[in-house]
Amino acid sequence: MIRIESGSEKHTHTVGVRLGQAAPPGTFIALYGDLGAGKSVLARGVARGLGVERAVQSPTFTLLNVYEEGRLPLYHFDVYRLESGEELEALGYEESFYGPGVTVMEWPQRVEYLLPAHRLDVFIQAGDGPEKRVLRLMPHGAAAERMAREVCP
């Protein structure tokens, strides 16, 4: 597990940018944390690292936003309001999870049984100040391990 102490929202965003730059095709990033922890900030950073220039919003009410203009397609899920895994299945999640793009999911604990075995789990917790965060990167699989090492050599 890799531990990163972030002193600001900008630093958390930068970690996301580095993840996006390092992400190979087929990457799945699961973002865990309480409301306001910084999951969406990190997701916006991943999008920027992939080359997405437009504003990236958390898909809280739509479950999924797709951004295809970057180096790789980005599938940004927010499953906080999901009633059941069947809703995700109706979206055809497999195409996103196992396709050539990068998937970022907020609130993955709601559908943990559907998550790919090979992924990067990122746990975000509040730190000792209003903008401070502790990020813990837990890679599952060789590709996620390489990506995490590139972010924090």
Side-chain angles (χ1 to χ4, degrees):
M1 182 178 308
I2 295 172
R3 185 177 194 273
I4 301 169
E5 291 190 29
S6 172
S8 67
E9 187 173 302
K10 182 178 180 182
H11 185 222
T12 300
H13 183 267
T14 300
V15 171
V17 170
R18 286 193 235 140
L19 284 171
Q21 291 169 335
T27 295
F28 189 100
I29 302 171
L31 303 179
Y32 294 85
D34 294 334
L35 282 170
K39 295 180 298 297
S40 294
V41 171
L42 194 73
R44 283 193 292 275
V46 171
R48 195 68 69 228
L50 287 169
V52 176
E53 295 296 326
R54 66 181 160 129
V56 173
Q57 301 297 320
S58 185
T60 304
F61 296 101
T62 59
L63 295 180
L64 169 64
N65 287 338
V66 179
Y67 304 90
E68 298 188 83
E69 64 269 21
R71 172 176 68 83
L72 298 168
L74 172 64
Y75 305 98
H76 183 192
F77 287 87
D78 183 330
V79 297
Y80 180 73
R81 296 194 187 322
L82 199 68
E83 295 293 325
S84 70
E86 286 88 36
E87 289 178 67
L88 196 58
E89 291 172 14
L91 281 175
Y93 75 91
E94 296 96 341
E95 192 174 315
S96 303
F97 284 23
Y98 302 103
V102 173
T103 300
V104 174
M105 178 179 281
E106 299 183 42
W107 302 100
Q109 62 270 30
R110 303 203 36 113
V111 292
E112 217 149 32
Y113 67 99
L114 294 174
L115 299 182
H118 298 281
R119 66 181 187 271
L120 178 64
D121 290 340
V122 180
F123 299 89
I124 306 172
Q125 294 177 302
D128 291 346
E131 286 196 29
K132 293 186 178 186
R133 300 291 184 263
V134 176
L135 289 76
R136 289 182 176 84
L137 283 61
M138 181 178 290
H140 300 274
E145 182 77 40
R146 280 190 300 276
M147 186 173 63
R149 277 198 311 264
E150 284 185 42
V151 170
C152 281

